[in-house]
Amino acid sequence: LEEVKGCDLEPLYYEPLYPEHPQYVNRVIVADFVSMEEGTGIVHIAPAYGAEDLDLGLKCDLPVVHTVDLDGKVMPAPVLSFVAGKFFKEADNDIMDDLDRRGLLYRREIIRHTYPFCWRCATPLLYYAKPSWYIKTTARKERLIAGNEEINWYPEHIKHGRFGDWLENNVDWAFSRERYWGTPLPVWRCDSCGKDNCIGSLEELRGKPGLSAEPMVLEALQKGEADLHRPYIDTVTFDCSECEGGKMRRLPDVLDAWFDSGAMPV
Ligand SMILES: [Zn+2]
Ligand SMILES: [Zn+2]
């Protein structure tokens, strides 16, 4: 045995407990957010289940693999099929038993550690990576900062304080929400070839070939009087311009309420 620094382990590869990925994934990566205040200073990275994990995963080209579904139940594939369908916390013992049987378990004990809970109802939370729509606000960062200089702020300290800080530390805006109420995301996707089409106006939507909707919605659309919210807008389909016979259907997401706030005249 010998003592080494964490950074000396960087190029090492390890044999995973449940082989699932190409070998390049099972390696040691040095990261500055892992401390030795809690635990050993070694942490398993799961890009699908934590913001820091995902950041590091994207940087190091790790795959985002889901082993738990949105109900918190273990998925049948790719690795833990023997506990498939179990709530992930209830699978702990079976997984430890399995490791024990295979001679891979070093010690079994209960460790107290911090964990995220819902602040309203105290339900334990599970971070879960899901696709979302983004506006690349970072591409306009300099203009946003310059624009802030021209704003006459009351009170003055907000300008280079809270608002200025926020612009300086701007990250791309995840602006879609998986909700029912709200301004619908104006993106239609072809159910056959996957082509996306972002609609810029009512006029543009009305001019689409093969436009179809529930009779009342279609009539209102053609008069230019349509209610563009759900559920009406979800009945609107049109022909794909990229493939033969493909139907364009609206993606079900709505927009972040801040999108409406930002579009409000002042
Ligand atoms: Zn809650
Ligand atoms: Zn298509």
Side-chain angles (χ1 to χ4, degrees):
L1 286 180
E2 63 174 311
E3 255 180 50
V4 293
K5 288 216 173 280
C7 55
D8 296 333
L9 300 174
E10 170 110 53
L12 285 186
Y13 286 76
Y14 64 88
E15 202 178 311
L17 299 172
Y18 293 99
E20 52 182 306
H21 302 303
Q23 179 58 27
Y24 83 93
V25 169
N26 307 307
R27 68 177 196 268
V28 178
I29 298 167
V30 174
D32 57 11
F33 61 84
V34 185
S35 77
M36 289 183 48
E37 311 309 309
E38 281 179 279
T40 56
I42 296 176
V43 67
H44 173 250
I45 291 297
Y49 302 109
E52 286 163 326
D53 299 46
L54 184 62
D55 281 345
L56 189 64
L58 290 172
K59 217 171 76 191
C60 299
D61 199 23
L62 302 178
V64 178
V65 178
H66 276 293
T67 50
V68 174
D69 67 16
L70 281 169
D71 293 327
K73 290 182 176 154
V74 179
M75 287 167 29
V79 272
L80 299 168
S81 49
F82 63 99
V83 281
K86 277 208 169 178
F87 187 63
F88 77 104
K89 281 312 289 174
E90 283 154 19
D92 284 355
N93 274 325
D94 294 325
I95 293 170
M96 284 189 277
D97 288 347
D98 180 66
L99 292 175
D100 203 6
R101 216 168 19 244
R102 291 159 58 206
L104 297 172
L105 194 70
Y106 175 63
R107 194 161 70 205
R108 186 189 278 233
E109 64 181 343
I110 289 172
I111 295 174
R112 294 178 78 92
H113 62 95
T114 58
Y115 194 86
F117 287 86
C118 172
W119 61 274
R120 283 184 176 152
C121 66
T123 303
L125 302 177
L126 174 67
Y127 286 104
Y128 202 97
K130 297 181 73 179
S132 180
W133 286 82
Y134 286 81
I135 290 177
K136 199 172 183 183
T137 50
T138 51
R140 294 278 184 278
K141 184 178 167 179
E142 296 316 318
R143 242 190 102 197
L144 291 167
I145 290 170
N148 187 38
E149 288 306 313
E150 289 163 27
I151 294 171
N152 201 10
W153 278 98
Y154 293 97
E156 171 74 32
H157 66 84
I158 301 286
K159 183 174 190 163
H160 296 125
R162 195 199 301 176
F163 199 74
D165 284 346
W166 182 68
L167 292 177
E168 287 291 342
N169 298 302
N170 187 258
V171 290
D172 290 331
W173 180 15
F175 74 101
S176 62
R177 296 288 180 274
E178 293 180 0
R179 289 186 176 172
Y180 193 87
W181 304 108
T183 300
L185 180 78
V187 176
W188 271 254
R189 180 169 290 168
C190 175
D191 58 11
S192 167
C193 74
K195 156 96 181 164
D196 286 338
N197 192 176
C198 182
I199 301 293
S201 67
L202 181 55
E203 213 45 54
E204 189 184 341
L205 186 60
R206 282 164 65 184
K208 285 295 176 187
L211 188 70
S212 159
E214 272 179 8
M216 267 174 60
V217 178
L218 191 62
E219 199 190 312
L221 250 185
Q222 274 150 355
K223 281 194 214 154
E225 295 168 356
D227 182 334
L228 299 174
H229 293 93
R230 305 182 80 177
Y232 317 108
I233 195 70
D234 293 341
T235 72
V236 178
T237 62
F238 52 90
D239 294 342
C240 178
S241 60
E242 298 294 305
C243 72
E244 197 65 44
K247 274 277 167 228
M248 304 294 284
R249 291 175 208 285
R250 199 187 71 82
L251 297 176
D253 306 42
V254 297
L255 304 182
D256 179 3
W258 282 106
F259 192 93
D260 302 74
S261 310
M264 202 71 73
V266 282

